[in-house]
Amino acid sequence: MKLLAVKPGEEVIATLSRHAAEAGITNGAIVSLVGAIDACAISNMPATDAKSDVVTEYRQPFELSGTGEIVDGKVHVHVVLGREGDMALAGHLHWAKVDTFFVHAYTISLTANDS
């Protein structure tokens, strides 16, 4: 298992992609993602078109948890975001900015022998 850390001042997807490449993880599982972010964009599918995305940007702090995968070097993450008022949002993470806290991704690299 490999920890990929996102620190204040970094963007989550770009940083995880960079760290995965540096660690030689081309294909793998993000088994746990935990931390807090200050802004993000997530998407969900409209009820009438499963092949489309509705992307919404948020500029507020969120607690974050999630999972994902790395396929051919591309990071794909789904998250649950908790915000003020004990409300939660969920979706595909397009980007997220860490300014105040951190995000930690616990990953497992997969090889051709694992599939």
Side-chain angles (χ1 to χ4, degrees):
M1 180 144 333
K2 179 79 173 168
L3 168 64
L4 307 180
V6 183
K7 299 176 184 171
E10 295 182 319
E11 192 282 316
V12 173
I13 299 298
T15 302
L16 294 180
S17 296
R18 185 180 78 247
H19 287 326
E22 290 169 355
I25 303 171
T26 304
N27 295 291
I30 300 171
V31 296
S32 178
L33 191 71
V34 63
I37 58 173
D38 297 274
C40 67
I42 62 171
S43 69
N44 289 280
M45 300 171 281
T48 58
D49 185 2
K51 295 202 179 251
S52 294
D53 273 339
V54 176
V55 179
T56 306
E57 292 189 358
Y58 298 92
R59 307 240 180 239
Q60 68 180 85
F62 288 100
E63 298 285 340
L64 174 146
S65 64
T67 60
E69 63 184 358
I70 303 164
V71 177
D72 296 330
K74 184 173 167 70
V75 172
H76 181 108
V77 174
H78 285 208
V79 294
V80 176
L81 304 168
R83 66 180 180 178
E84 181 180 17
D86 300 327
M87 298 177 73
L89 301 170
H92 170 78
L93 185 67
H94 290 265
W95 63 264
K97 181 73 172 159
V98 175
D99 287 324
T100 308
F101 296 102
F102 64 87
V103 169
H104 287 166
Y106 297 88
T107 64
I108 297 174
S109 181
L110 303 174
T111 66
N113 296 332
D114 293 330
S115 43

